[in-house]
Amino acid sequence: MRIGRWTLLALWAIGGGDLLSAGEQPRSSAAGRQTVVGSPHDLSVGGPGRIHAMEEEQVCIFCHTPHNATGQRPLWNRHMPPTHYRIYESSTTDARIDQPSGPSKMCLSCHDGSLAIGLLAGRPDDIVVMSRRTMALGRGNLSLDLSDDHPIGFRYDRALAGRDHQLHDPGVISRELPLGKHGEMHCTTCHDPHNNHLGNFLRITKVRSAICLSCHDRDGWGVASHATSRAVIRGRAVDMRERLPFASVAENACGNCHKIHSAGGRERLLRFANLEDNCLNCHNGSVASTNIESEICKPSAHNAPLLFDCHDPVEDPLTMSRHVTCADCHNPHAAAYDFISRPGATAPEPINNRMRYVSGVNILGRPVNEAMREYEVCFKCHADNPSRPQNAVITRDIHQTNTRLEFQPTNPSFHPVAAPRNNHDVVSLTSPWRVGSLTKCTDCHNSDAGSALSLNRRAGPHGSIYRPLLIANYSTRDYTVESVIAYALCYRCHERTSVLNNESFPLHSRHVVNGRSPCSACHDAHGISRTQGSSRNHSSLINFDRSIVQPASGGLGARIEYEDRGTYRGSCTLTCHGVVHVRFEYAR
């Protein structure tokens, strides 16, 4: 039985009225129509797509029939694929995702590629001859594997929104995104199969990801760089042939990194399977102004490709395997501009905008969902986690690689990262640094091309030519000739003249200039844990480099010892450069 135009008008009532305009619209364009006719869903002989009937002129018959329907509404004319699908899985979803059903199964009767498109329930003996038997694998054919597609088949209700605070309450979602009768998410929640005026049969525009944000409420998104950037999409690194629908980062929004269907990175629907490709695709100097790709290729870097285990947003920072990815330090949904540093501040600085809404470990060793201080993010990998590098850069008298223990405010000495150090023995500080100032990890560990003291947009501990990822040169080799360059890192905060004029330790110049001993021979830049040393023998960051400093010998026995005897006074027992010191006293 063939369906004529009057039958089309009858089916218009079923499909929402779009077909009324079908006969009034030209069929030359596939997109921009509020009708099936002339759209990709027009599979008649006059349809615009590569898949179309060879002779059949009717349009609605490929989904609906007024007679001999399957019994499913609305007058359904296709068999249901009896298929079990591989469904979406993610460690971060709180939804219970089931097999597709209802309207979704109707869509999949064509879009999983398993059933012949011309096989209609109302014509069991008269298959419609098509230009292709089934949908070709690729765009439009979701296959039996739905694990790389936005999940469907789950109930989106207040209980789910209560478990996941980054979902809107379904009660406030636009009526333009209809859920199933039991609140299920279906293909038809986002797509109206009869209306293609927005393209891809979307119900709400995807400009600035309006349709995504109807349901998803990401922390910090409103002012995030990826939501506001006007940077033009061009020259992307990973797949330069893939065109995004809009010109700027802000317009593409979620689409810069995510694909709703056929995502390369199935879990969380990332555009590419390799996690870092999703970032470096733009952060290679093409789209984003910050060229991170060049930074992580430097000799000392947080170089993700060298560590294969991937980041998981729900990982436990105390037990996770060793890895480094952009998402460990940055939340791409919340990272924003306005990186402003206040060097020398005596009050704790809030975490910079580029690290907003990132998890961390606090100074007590407890995981926190949202780090408030920069060092809390660093502690995830460089503190209590046993997978951290166990070999120290310098072999010291006291060995410690847990930076959280090194920076404890109760330690005998420490660089003031977690708390100020009110030690008036430090007279060499250069403005704006002063006694009581707080430092950040990035004041020392940062790109050599940037400066933590400026608004340089390349600042960040991504890579450096100076090991271990230092912002400036810091020579630790014995017999280093003292110079501004040799200890550039130290001289960023400590005035060289003061140090060499012996304003604190009266033998600084003799050791550093005459003896060519590096600062690191005596000082441990991070600090000495109170569990391993005391203020009597490890004040002033004293923790000797055992490759340079050897035990004293003779009647006192083999030992290395420093004793703090008060302000600018102390004694050493050790051997350095072949010179034996036994209770060698100094005082200013």
Short mmCIF file of all heavy atoms in Angstrom, two decimals, residues 268-328:
data_model
loop_
_atom_site.label_atom_id
_atom_site.label_comp_id
_atom_site.label_asym_id
_atom_site.label_seq_id
_atom_site.Cartn_x
_atom_site.Cartn_y
_atom_site.Cartn_z
N ARG A 268 33.88 9.27 29.41
CA ARG A 268 33.74 10.72 29.44
C ARG A 268 33.72 11.34 28.05
O ARG A 268 33.85 12.54 27.87
CB ARG A 268 34.82 11.37 30.32
CG ARG A 268 34.56 11.13 31.80
CD ARG A 268 35.67 11.59 32.68
NE ARG A 268 36.74 10.63 32.77
CZ ARG A 268 36.70 9.52 33.51
NH1 ARG A 268 35.63 9.25 34.22
NH2 ARG A 268 37.70 8.69 33.56
N LEU A 269 33.56 10.49 27.03
CA LEU A 269 33.30 10.94 25.65
C LEU A 269 34.29 11.99 25.18
O LEU A 269 33.92 13.03 24.61
CB LEU A 269 31.87 11.48 25.54
CG LEU A 269 30.75 10.49 25.87
CD1 LEU A 269 29.40 11.16 25.71
CD2 LEU A 269 30.84 9.25 24.99
N LEU A 270 35.55 11.74 25.42
CA LEU A 270 36.57 12.67 24.96
C LEU A 270 36.81 12.50 23.46
O LEU A 270 36.67 11.40 22.92
CB LEU A 270 37.86 12.45 25.73
CG LEU A 270 37.77 12.86 27.20
CD1 LEU A 270 38.99 12.40 27.96
CD2 LEU A 270 37.60 14.37 27.32
N ARG A 271 37.20 13.56 22.85
CA ARG A 271 37.36 13.54 21.40
C ARG A 271 38.43 12.55 20.96
O ARG A 271 38.29 11.88 19.95
CB ARG A 271 37.70 14.97 20.93
CG ARG A 271 37.72 15.15 19.43
CD ARG A 271 37.70 16.63 19.10
NE ARG A 271 36.37 17.19 19.32
CZ ARG A 271 35.38 17.11 18.44
NH1 ARG A 271 35.57 16.50 17.28
NH2 ARG A 271 34.22 17.65 18.71
N PHE A 272 39.48 12.42 21.75
CA PHE A 272 40.57 11.52 21.40
C PHE A 272 40.85 10.54 22.52
O PHE A 272 40.71 10.87 23.71
CB PHE A 272 41.85 12.31 21.09
CG PHE A 272 41.65 13.36 20.04
CD1 PHE A 272 41.62 14.70 20.36
CD2 PHE A 272 41.48 12.99 18.71
CE1 PHE A 272 41.43 15.67 19.39
CE2 PHE A 272 41.28 13.95 17.73
CZ PHE A 272 41.25 15.30 18.07
N ALA A 273 41.25 9.33 22.16
CA ALA A 273 41.50 8.28 23.15
C ALA A 273 42.69 8.63 24.03
O ALA A 273 42.68 8.37 25.24
CB ALA A 273 41.73 6.95 22.44
N ASN A 274 43.72 9.18 23.43
CA ASN A 274 44.88 9.61 24.22
C ASN A 274 44.50 10.89 24.96
O ASN A 274 44.24 11.92 24.34
CB ASN A 274 46.07 9.85 23.30
CG ASN A 274 47.31 10.23 24.07
OD1 ASN A 274 47.28 10.35 25.29
ND2 ASN A 274 48.40 10.43 23.36
N LEU A 275 44.49 10.81 26.27
CA LEU A 275 43.96 11.90 27.08
C LEU A 275 44.61 13.24 26.74
O LEU A 275 43.94 14.27 26.61
CB LEU A 275 44.17 11.57 28.56
CG LEU A 275 43.39 12.38 29.58
CD1 LEU A 275 41.90 12.21 29.37
CD2 LEU A 275 43.78 11.97 30.99
N GLU A 276 45.91 13.24 26.59
CA GLU A 276 46.61 14.50 26.38
C GLU A 276 46.34 15.10 25.01
O GLU A 276 46.46 16.31 24.82
CB GLU A 276 48.13 14.30 26.57
CG GLU A 276 48.50 13.83 27.94
CD GLU A 276 47.83 14.67 29.03
OE1 GLU A 276 48.13 15.85 29.15
OE2 GLU A 276 46.97 14.11 29.74
N ASP A 277 45.97 14.26 24.04
CA ASP A 277 45.66 14.80 22.72
C ASP A 277 44.51 15.79 22.77
O ASP A 277 44.45 16.72 21.97
CB ASP A 277 45.30 13.66 21.76
CG ASP A 277 46.52 12.87 21.32
OD1 ASP A 277 47.65 13.35 21.56
OD2 ASP A 277 46.36 11.79 20.74
N ASN A 278 43.60 15.60 23.69
CA ASN A 278 42.46 16.50 23.81
C ASN A 278 42.90 17.90 24.24
O ASN A 278 42.21 18.87 23.95
CB ASN A 278 41.45 15.93 24.80
CG ASN A 278 40.85 14.63 24.31
OD1 ASN A 278 40.01 14.61 23.42
ND2 ASN A 278 41.31 13.51 24.87
N CYS A 279 44.02 17.98 24.93
CA CYS A 279 44.54 19.29 25.36
C CYS A 279 45.52 19.84 24.34
O CYS A 279 45.42 21.00 23.92
CB CYS A 279 45.21 19.16 26.72
SG CYS A 279 44.19 18.44 28.01
N LEU A 280 46.47 18.98 23.94
CA LEU A 280 47.53 19.46 23.06
C LEU A 280 47.03 19.70 21.65
O LEU A 280 47.72 20.32 20.84
CB LEU A 280 48.68 18.45 23.05
CG LEU A 280 49.34 18.22 24.41
CD1 LEU A 280 50.46 17.20 24.30
CD2 LEU A 280 49.88 19.53 24.98
N ASN A 281 45.85 19.24 21.34
CA ASN A 281 45.27 19.52 20.04
C ASN A 281 45.17 21.02 19.79
O ASN A 281 45.34 21.49 18.67
CB ASN A 281 43.86 18.89 19.98
CG ASN A 281 43.37 18.77 18.56
OD1 ASN A 281 44.14 18.56 17.64
ND2 ASN A 281 42.07 18.89 18.39
N CYS A 282 44.91 21.77 20.83
CA CYS A 282 44.84 23.23 20.72
C CYS A 282 46.01 23.92 21.41
O CYS A 282 46.43 25.00 21.00
CB CYS A 282 43.53 23.73 21.34
SG CYS A 282 42.05 23.25 20.45
N HIS A 283 46.52 23.30 22.48
CA HIS A 283 47.61 23.94 23.24
C HIS A 283 48.97 23.59 22.65
O HIS A 283 49.89 23.23 23.37
CB HIS A 283 47.51 23.53 24.71
CG HIS A 283 46.37 24.16 25.43
ND1 HIS A 283 46.42 25.41 26.00
CD2 HIS A 283 45.10 23.71 25.65
CE1 HIS A 283 45.25 25.71 26.55
NE2 HIS A 283 44.44 24.70 26.35
N ASN A 284 49.05 23.69 21.36
CA ASN A 284 50.31 23.44 20.65
C ASN A 284 50.81 24.71 19.97
O ASN A 284 51.65 24.66 19.08
CB ASN A 284 50.11 22.35 19.59
CG ASN A 284 49.16 22.80 18.49
OD1 ASN A 284 48.33 23.68 18.71
ND2 ASN A 284 49.27 22.20 17.33
N GLY A 285 50.25 25.84 20.38
CA GLY A 285 50.63 27.11 19.77
C GLY A 285 49.74 27.49 18.61
O GLY A 285 49.94 28.53 17.99
N SER A 286 48.74 26.67 18.30
CA SER A 286 47.86 26.99 17.17
C SER A 286 46.65 27.79 17.64
O SER A 286 46.46 28.94 17.24
CB SER A 286 47.41 25.71 16.49
OG SER A 286 46.74 24.85 17.41
N VAL A 287 45.84 27.18 18.48
CA VAL A 287 44.61 27.85 18.94
C VAL A 287 44.88 28.61 20.24
O VAL A 287 44.67 29.82 20.31
CB VAL A 287 43.49 26.81 19.16
CG1 VAL A 287 42.22 27.50 19.65
CG2 VAL A 287 43.22 26.05 17.86
N ALA A 288 45.33 27.89 21.25
CA ALA A 288 45.61 28.54 22.54
C ALA A 288 46.94 29.29 22.48
O ALA A 288 47.87 28.87 21.79
CB ALA A 288 45.65 27.48 23.63
N SER A 289 47.00 30.38 23.19
CA SER A 289 48.24 31.17 23.19
C SER A 289 49.34 30.48 23.97
O SER A 289 50.52 30.75 23.76
CB SER A 289 47.98 32.56 23.79
OG SER A 289 47.47 32.44 25.11
N THR A 290 48.97 29.59 24.88
CA THR A 290 49.96 28.88 25.66
C THR A 290 50.35 27.60 24.93
O THR A 290 49.53 26.71 24.74
CB THR A 290 49.40 28.52 27.04
OG1 THR A 290 48.10 27.96 26.88
CG2 THR A 290 49.32 29.73 27.94
N ASN A 291 51.61 27.52 24.52
CA ASN A 291 52.10 26.35 23.79
C ASN A 291 52.67 25.36 24.80
O ASN A 291 53.86 25.36 25.10
CB ASN A 291 53.16 26.77 22.77
CG ASN A 291 53.56 25.61 21.89
OD1 ASN A 291 53.29 24.44 22.18
ND2 ASN A 291 54.23 25.92 20.79
N ILE A 292 51.83 24.52 25.31
CA ILE A 292 52.25 23.56 26.32
C ILE A 292 53.04 22.43 25.69
O ILE A 292 53.92 21.85 26.32
CB ILE A 292 51.01 23.00 27.07
CG1 ILE A 292 50.20 24.15 27.67
CG2 ILE A 292 51.44 22.03 28.16
CD1 ILE A 292 50.97 25.03 28.61
N GLU A 293 52.74 22.12 24.46
CA GLU A 293 53.43 21.01 23.79
C GLU A 293 54.94 21.24 23.75
O GLU A 293 55.72 20.33 23.99
CB GLU A 293 52.90 20.84 22.37
CG GLU A 293 53.42 19.60 21.67
CD GLU A 293 52.77 19.39 20.32
OE1 GLU A 293 52.62 20.38 19.58
OE2 GLU A 293 52.40 18.25 20.02
N SER A 294 55.35 22.47 23.48
CA SER A 294 56.79 22.75 23.45
C SER A 294 57.39 22.72 24.85
O SER A 294 58.55 22.36 25.03
CB SER A 294 57.05 24.11 22.79
OG SER A 294 56.50 25.16 23.58
N GLU A 295 56.59 23.08 25.84
CA GLU A 295 57.09 23.09 27.22
C GLU A 295 57.39 21.68 27.72
O GLU A 295 58.41 21.43 28.35
CB GLU A 295 56.07 23.77 28.13
CG GLU A 295 55.92 25.26 27.92
CD GLU A 295 57.14 26.02 28.39
OE1 GLU A 295 57.49 25.92 29.58
OE2 GLU A 295 57.78 26.70 27.55
N ILE A 296 56.48 20.75 27.44
CA ILE A 296 56.66 19.40 28.00
C ILE A 296 57.70 18.60 27.25
O ILE A 296 58.01 17.48 27.63
CB ILE A 296 55.33 18.63 28.04
CG1 ILE A 296 54.80 18.37 26.62
CG2 ILE A 296 54.30 19.35 28.87
CD1 ILE A 296 53.59 17.47 26.61
N CYS A 297 58.25 19.17 26.19
CA CYS A 297 59.34 18.50 25.47
C CYS A 297 60.70 18.93 25.99
O CYS A 297 61.73 18.48 25.48
CB CYS A 297 59.23 18.79 23.96
SG CYS A 297 57.81 18.00 23.18
N LYS A 298 60.72 19.78 26.98
CA LYS A 298 61.99 20.24 27.53
C LYS A 298 62.63 19.14 28.39
O LYS A 298 61.96 18.18 28.79
CB LYS A 298 61.76 21.51 28.34
CG LYS A 298 61.40 22.70 27.45
CD LYS A 298 61.18 23.97 28.26
CE LYS A 298 60.94 25.15 27.32
NZ LYS A 298 60.67 26.40 28.06
N PRO A 299 63.93 19.28 28.68
CA PRO A 299 64.63 18.21 29.40
C PRO A 299 64.01 17.82 30.74
O PRO A 299 64.07 16.66 31.14
CB PRO A 299 66.04 18.80 29.60
CG PRO A 299 66.19 19.79 28.50
CD PRO A 299 64.83 20.37 28.29
N SER A 300 63.43 18.76 31.44
CA SER A 300 62.78 18.45 32.71
C SER A 300 61.33 18.91 32.60
O SER A 300 61.06 20.10 32.40
CB SER A 300 63.48 19.19 33.85
OG SER A 300 62.89 18.85 35.08
N ALA A 301 60.40 17.95 32.69
CA ALA A 301 59.01 18.33 32.40
C ALA A 301 58.03 17.38 33.06
O ALA A 301 58.36 16.26 33.43
CB ALA A 301 58.77 18.32 30.88
N HIS A 302 56.83 17.87 33.22
CA HIS A 302 55.69 17.01 33.51
C HIS A 302 55.22 16.46 32.16
O HIS A 302 54.30 16.99 31.55
CB HIS A 302 54.57 17.80 34.19
CG HIS A 302 54.79 18.02 35.64
ND1 HIS A 302 54.67 19.24 36.25
CD2 HIS A 302 55.11 17.14 36.63
CE1 HIS A 302 54.91 19.12 37.55
NE2 HIS A 302 55.18 17.85 37.80
N ASN A 303 55.89 15.45 31.73
CA ASN A 303 55.67 14.95 30.38
C ASN A 303 54.77 13.73 30.41
O ASN A 303 55.21 12.63 30.71
CB ASN A 303 57.01 14.62 29.73
CG ASN A 303 56.86 14.40 28.23
OD1 ASN A 303 55.77 14.14 27.74
ND2 ASN A 303 57.96 14.52 27.51
N ALA A 304 53.51 13.94 30.06
CA ALA A 304 52.52 12.86 30.14
C ALA A 304 52.88 11.63 29.30
O ALA A 304 52.70 10.51 29.76
CB ALA A 304 51.15 13.39 29.74
N PRO A 305 53.35 11.77 28.08
CA PRO A 305 53.60 10.57 27.28
C PRO A 305 54.60 9.61 27.89
O PRO A 305 54.65 8.44 27.52
CB PRO A 305 54.12 11.15 25.96
CG PRO A 305 53.52 12.50 25.88
CD PRO A 305 53.52 12.99 27.29
N LEU A 306 55.41 10.09 28.83
CA LEU A 306 56.40 9.20 29.43
C LEU A 306 55.80 8.34 30.53
O LEU A 306 56.42 7.38 30.98
CB LEU A 306 57.56 10.03 29.99
CG LEU A 306 58.36 10.82 28.96
CD1 LEU A 306 59.50 11.55 29.64
CD2 LEU A 306 58.89 9.91 27.86
N LEU A 307 54.61 8.67 30.97
CA LEU A 307 53.95 7.91 32.03
C LEU A 307 52.61 7.44 31.48
O LEU A 307 51.79 8.23 31.05
CB LEU A 307 53.75 8.78 33.27
CG LEU A 307 55.06 9.29 33.88
CD1 LEU A 307 54.75 10.28 34.99
CD2 LEU A 307 55.89 8.15 34.44
N PHE A 308 52.39 6.16 31.49
CA PHE A 308 51.29 5.61 30.71
C PHE A 308 49.98 5.51 31.46
O PHE A 308 48.93 5.44 30.85
CB PHE A 308 51.69 4.22 30.18
CG PHE A 308 52.89 4.29 29.28
CD1 PHE A 308 54.13 3.84 29.71
CD2 PHE A 308 52.77 4.83 28.01
CE1 PHE A 308 55.22 3.92 28.87
CE2 PHE A 308 53.86 4.91 27.17
CZ PHE A 308 55.10 4.46 27.60
N ASP A 309 50.00 5.46 32.77
CA ASP A 309 48.76 5.34 33.49
C ASP A 309 47.99 6.66 33.40
O ASP A 309 48.58 7.73 33.44
CB ASP A 309 49.01 4.98 34.95
CG ASP A 309 47.76 4.45 35.62
OD1 ASP A 309 47.12 3.58 35.01
OD2 ASP A 309 47.45 4.89 36.72
N CYS A 310 46.68 6.57 33.27
CA CYS A 310 45.88 7.75 33.01
C CYS A 310 45.21 8.28 34.28
O CYS A 310 45.01 7.57 35.24
CB CYS A 310 44.82 7.45 31.96
SG CYS A 310 45.51 7.30 30.31
N HIS A 311 44.86 9.54 34.19
CA HIS A 311 44.15 10.19 35.28
C HIS A 311 42.70 9.73 35.31
O HIS A 311 42.07 9.55 34.27
CB HIS A 311 44.21 11.70 35.06
CG HIS A 311 43.32 12.49 35.95
ND1 HIS A 311 43.63 12.75 37.26
CD2 HIS A 311 42.12 13.07 35.72
CE1 HIS A 311 42.66 13.47 37.79
NE2 HIS A 311 41.74 13.67 36.88
N ASP A 312 42.18 9.54 36.52
CA ASP A 312 40.76 9.26 36.69
C ASP A 312 40.25 10.26 37.73
O ASP A 312 40.83 10.35 38.83
CB ASP A 312 40.54 7.83 37.18
CG ASP A 312 39.07 7.45 37.14
OD1 ASP A 312 38.24 8.24 37.62
OD2 ASP A 312 38.75 6.35 36.64
N PRO A 313 39.19 11.00 37.44
CA PRO A 313 38.73 12.03 38.39
C PRO A 313 38.40 11.50 39.77
O PRO A 313 38.40 12.26 40.73
CB PRO A 313 37.47 12.59 37.69
CG PRO A 313 37.68 12.32 36.24
CD PRO A 313 38.42 11.02 36.18
N VAL A 314 38.11 10.21 39.89
CA VAL A 314 37.75 9.67 41.20
C VAL A 314 38.91 8.91 41.85
O VAL A 314 38.71 8.22 42.85
CB VAL A 314 36.51 8.76 41.09
CG1 VAL A 314 35.31 9.55 40.59
CG2 VAL A 314 36.78 7.57 40.18
N GLU A 315 40.09 9.02 41.28
CA GLU A 315 41.23 8.30 41.84
C GLU A 315 41.56 8.81 43.25
O GLU A 315 41.31 9.98 43.58
CB GLU A 315 42.45 8.46 40.93
CG GLU A 315 42.96 9.90 40.86
CD GLU A 315 43.90 10.12 39.70
OE1 GLU A 315 44.09 9.21 38.89
OE2 GLU A 315 44.44 11.25 39.60
N ASP A 316 42.14 7.93 44.04
CA ASP A 316 42.57 8.29 45.39
C ASP A 316 44.02 8.78 45.30
O ASP A 316 44.91 8.01 44.93
CB ASP A 316 42.48 7.06 46.30
CG ASP A 316 42.83 7.40 47.76
OD1 ASP A 316 43.42 8.46 48.00
OD2 ASP A 316 42.50 6.58 48.63
N PRO A 317 44.27 10.03 45.61
CA PRO A 317 45.64 10.56 45.46
C PRO A 317 46.65 9.87 46.37
O PRO A 317 47.84 10.04 46.19
CB PRO A 317 45.48 12.04 45.79
CG PRO A 317 44.25 12.12 46.62
CD PRO A 317 43.34 11.04 46.12
N LEU A 318 46.16 9.13 47.35
CA LEU A 318 47.09 8.46 48.26
C LEU A 318 47.50 7.07 47.76
O LEU A 318 48.46 6.50 48.26
CB LEU A 318 46.45 8.33 49.66
CG LEU A 318 46.07 9.65 50.32
CD1 LEU A 318 45.48 9.39 51.71
CD2 LEU A 318 47.25 10.59 50.42
N THR A 319 46.76 6.55 46.81
CA THR A 319 47.07 5.20 46.33
C THR A 319 47.19 5.08 44.81
O THR A 319 47.55 4.03 44.31
CB THR A 319 45.98 4.22 46.79
OG1 THR A 319 44.71 4.64 46.27
CG2 THR A 319 45.91 4.17 48.32
N MET A 320 46.89 6.14 44.09
CA MET A 320 46.88 6.05 42.62
C MET A 320 48.27 5.71 42.08
O MET A 320 49.29 6.00 42.70
CB MET A 320 46.41 7.38 42.04
CG MET A 320 47.36 8.53 42.32
SD MET A 320 46.67 10.12 41.80
CE MET A 320 48.06 11.22 42.18
N SER A 321 48.26 5.11 40.89
CA SER A 321 49.52 4.80 40.24
C SER A 321 50.18 6.09 39.75
O SER A 321 49.51 7.09 39.52
CB SER A 321 49.29 3.86 39.05
OG SER A 321 48.70 2.67 39.49
N ARG A 322 51.45 6.01 39.55
CA ARG A 322 52.18 7.19 39.12
C ARG A 322 51.78 7.59 37.70
O ARG A 322 51.79 6.76 36.80
CB ARG A 322 53.69 6.93 39.19
CG ARG A 322 54.52 8.17 38.93
CD ARG A 322 55.99 7.83 38.91
NE ARG A 322 56.79 8.99 38.57
CZ ARG A 322 58.02 8.94 38.12
NH1 ARG A 322 58.62 7.76 37.99
NH2 ARG A 322 58.67 10.03 37.83
N HIS A 323 51.43 8.81 37.52
CA HIS A 323 51.09 9.33 36.20
C HIS A 323 51.09 10.85 36.26
O HIS A 323 51.14 11.44 37.34
CB HIS A 323 49.71 8.82 35.76
CG HIS A 323 48.58 9.35 36.60
ND1 HIS A 323 48.13 8.71 37.73
CD2 HIS A 323 47.83 10.47 36.49
CE1 HIS A 323 47.14 9.39 38.25
NE2 HIS A 323 46.94 10.47 37.54
N VAL A 324 51.04 11.46 35.11
CA VAL A 324 50.87 12.91 35.08
C VAL A 324 50.10 13.25 33.81
O VAL A 324 50.44 12.82 32.71
CB VAL A 324 52.21 13.66 35.12
CG1 VAL A 324 53.13 13.23 34.00
CG2 VAL A 324 51.99 15.17 35.08
N THR A 325 49.01 13.95 33.98
CA THR A 325 48.23 14.45 32.86
C THR A 325 47.82 15.88 33.16
O THR A 325 47.90 16.34 34.29
CB THR A 325 46.94 13.61 32.66
OG1 THR A 325 46.09 13.80 33.80
CG2 THR A 325 47.24 12.13 32.51
N CYS A 326 47.37 16.58 32.15
CA CYS A 326 46.93 17.95 32.34
C CYS A 326 45.82 18.01 33.40
O CYS A 326 45.77 18.93 34.22
CB CYS A 326 46.42 18.53 31.02
SG CYS A 326 47.61 18.47 29.67
N ALA A 327 44.94 16.99 33.36
CA ALA A 327 43.78 17.01 34.25
C ALA A 327 44.15 16.75 35.71
O ALA A 327 43.31 16.92 36.59
CB ALA A 327 42.76 15.97 33.79
N ASP A 328 45.37 16.34 35.98
CA ASP A 328 45.79 16.20 37.36
C ASP A 328 45.90 17.56 38.05
O ASP A 328 45.68 17.67 39.25
CB ASP A 328 47.13 15.47 37.44
CG ASP A 328 46.98 13.98 37.21
OD1 ASP A 328 46.22 13.35 37.97
OD2 ASP A 328 47.60 13.45 36.28
#
